[in-house]
Amino acid sequence: MKKTFGFLFIAMATLLFPLQVFAVDFSINQSEIHAYLKENGSVQVRETHTYEFDGKFNGIIRSLIPQDGTSITNFEATENGSPLKMEQEGETYKIYRTGKNEMITIELSYLIENGIEVYSDMAQFYWPFFDTSNESDYENLTIYVHPPQETDDAIAIGYDEAEGTEHMEDNGTVIFQMGMVDNGEKGDIHVAYDQELFPTAPVHNNVPIREKLLLEKQAMIDKQVAFENRKEGLSRIAPYLFTAFTLYLLVLLFSAWRKRQHIALEAQRKNSFYSFVPKQVMSMPATVYFYRNNSIPYAEMLTVGLMDLVRKGNIQKKKEDNYHLFNPMTDYHHEDHLIHFLFDKVGKNGVFTFEKLDEYVNKGKNQQSLQNQIRHWLTLVKEEIHSHGLTEKKLKLRWLTGIVGFLCISIMIIFIIHELYMWFFLFAILMGALFMFSITYRPMTVKGYTIKNQWKQLKEKFETTTSHTWDTWPDDDKERALIFCTGLNDNKLIKKNKSLIYAMNDSLASPTNMFLLLAISSSATTSFHSATEISAQSSTVTPGTGTGVGGGGGGSGAF
């Protein structure tokens, strides 16, 4: 349980925040701390840290934060008995030892004055050798507490990372074998001996503490036993819970598949004959947006919208990249909004050019406005799609699935607290699948399936379309097919479209509008892409700040 919350914090931090880049690449492979308790109440500490460096380095860092009423003195650093240069900056000590690609072992020694608290029956050493401000991992940390004389009367308690790691030698030395300690963790140690071992130490408080410490020690033992019992019980029921939730998900997926099969058969039964290009049910922006599952870059959608307005005769292109508003009367609200944006906000006097769009977006105040205008336009496109009833909401089923997903979160929290990591990850996968279903499940109606399937068939057959077949299509079908291919941004389809247009038989159809739309499909996408890229960069991210702790502690590092 001691590593549980640290594990959860690290997992979340890894997902939400980028990794910190350190100037020195190192690891602390081995750390031993020996605390020698003195009869006068002071504590002589000797630390040995083995660092492995990858690249150049200048030395190591050790921060030591004394507790209230104590002080740290006589700090020294040596390597193989030779003293090392060091500097103290407040509570941080910088030990200089330059090198490159080396493994070094540094010995530190210092005195904690008044580090022992003496009571009427026992004297205690309660100390944090590291705390949450520590920025380095200790890969193998062991702390030894040595009494002034041999004894068999000692009480030892570890907290957080040190919890459950303590054991006592025959001579009274207490060893806290912590092993791996992640950065940002704390692990206080608490050791008490008979007060007669400290005859010259000042009395901190003339009250007994033995009974209190024994009760605390027993409470921690009872807590650990209860924890292990709960863990064992949870490990027994976890497979049944996982099976039940998995079966629910499988039933959901099977039901969704069966419904899709039923819709497909019904659509096939009701589907009437249509020409090679599906008949128009919605505007081309709505058709492309629906076909691409409401996920398409802004630049491509804007190009589709502009091309469809040209196709319908609302806009005319008279000069190179000069678009004139010819007919403001439209069929959909999103077309009104797009015309208003292009010709009133960006353009002037009913004329829009991409040069004016560049001028507009390069003004800082307009960058966020462009993003807002596009989002509102897409909202209106979605409203057209929704008006046709192409999907079902299935709110009750989605809400129920979301509630089951939240139940998974509760179970995951219980598992992570009880260190059942395998079940935690398995339920995390289940939770993700349930939430994905809850958010995205909107089964198509027969009408929606028919529309998507017809355009899918056009996409699949278009590459093999011959010029002879193409020449038999009405102009409007050719234009809508070109707009559809542009919206898919499929290079093969666009290339096929170009070859068909260039091979058009002039005697059968007028190619003027087709060449115009083909030119727009290329130039407009490039210009809209540039504008939307610039506007997207207007958003900035502000990094957060951290906090430190006081009241004793410290950590290790390198420079």
Side-chain angles (χ1 to χ4, degrees), residues 393-402 438-439 441-442:
K393 292 183 179 180
K394 293 290 183 181
L395 291 178
K396 290 183 180 179
L397 178 61
R398 292 165 62 197
W399 270 107
L400 176 61
T401 304
S438 176
I439 294 169
Y441 183 60
R442 294 179 64 93

Side-chain angles (χ1 to χ4, degrees), residues 242-260:
F242 183 75
T243 300
F245 279 81
T246 302
L247 284 175
Y248 175 79
L249 177 61
L250 291 176
V251 169
L252 276 182
L253 297 176
F254 180 74
S255 299
W257 177 80
R258 285 290 302 272
K259 182 173 182 61
R260 182 177 176 84

Side-chain angles (χ1 to χ4, degrees), residues 346 353-364 366:
V346 177
T353 66
F354 288 112
E355 184 179 345
K356 290 181 180 178
L357 178 63
D358 291 338
E359 295 175 0
Y360 178 85
V361 79
N362 280 315
K363 293 180 180 178
N366 293 330

